[in-house]
Amino acid sequence: MIRWNLYSSRFKNLIFGKSVIRFEEKLLLSSTLFVTLFQFLSIGFNLMIGLKPSIINASILGFFVFLSLYLVVRFVSRSTAVFLISGFVMLIYCDLVWFVNYGSSGPSIFFFIVLFSFLILLFPNKYYFLITSVLLLN
């Protein structure tokens, strides 16, 4: 039991770092790492099933974008500006996926619902109107 807790705390320190205190920081770090891993698997899966090059390229771009976001938040800065930039980049990436993945006919609309929920959890109450407005305008 003690050994498991030791490995668990080392794993958490590896992923989040020792200075993570806020829920929002853990949420952003874990989600960007998850999306990075998901994009990596998507690249291989998309190649195996022979999807269009634009979808494969979107997966490759997403892998590097979300890996960069993870590394910036993990090692460089956890300021509000980085959180805003991350939210904006995620919105742009959702637009890209919408564009290359059949628009309203594909499953991309659900990414916007998840993105909205994610941004509501990530930012304080004073940003709710701004987030809702930007997503509706988008």
Side-chain angles (χ1 to χ4, degrees), residues 47-130:
L47 286 169
M48 284 181 3
I49 63 174
L51 291 179
K52 297 187 303 184
S54 61
I55 295 176
I56 295 168
N57 290 338
S59 296
I60 293 169
L61 177 67
F63 171 77
F64 287 113
V65 165
F66 286 99
L67 178 63
S68 300
L69 285 175
Y70 171 76
L71 293 174
V72 166
V73 173
R74 170 69 171 85
F75 295 110
V76 178
S77 175
R78 294 183 183 152
S79 67
T80 304
V82 172
F83 280 64
L84 288 171
I85 291 168
S86 298
F88 184 71
V89 167
M90 290 176 194
L91 178 64
I92 298 299
Y93 187 72
C94 279
D95 287 341
L96 174 71
V97 170
W98 172 274
F99 183 72
V100 299
N101 201 15
Y102 308 109
S104 297
S105 302
S108 300
I109 189 71
F110 299 112
F111 293 139
F112 288 99
I113 295 168
V114 171
L115 178 64
F116 180 70
S117 303
F118 176 77
L119 293 176
I120 291 296
L121 287 173
L122 191 63
F123 290 102
N125 293 350
K126 65 181 181 178
Y127 292 105
Y128 287 0
F129 181 73
L130 176 66

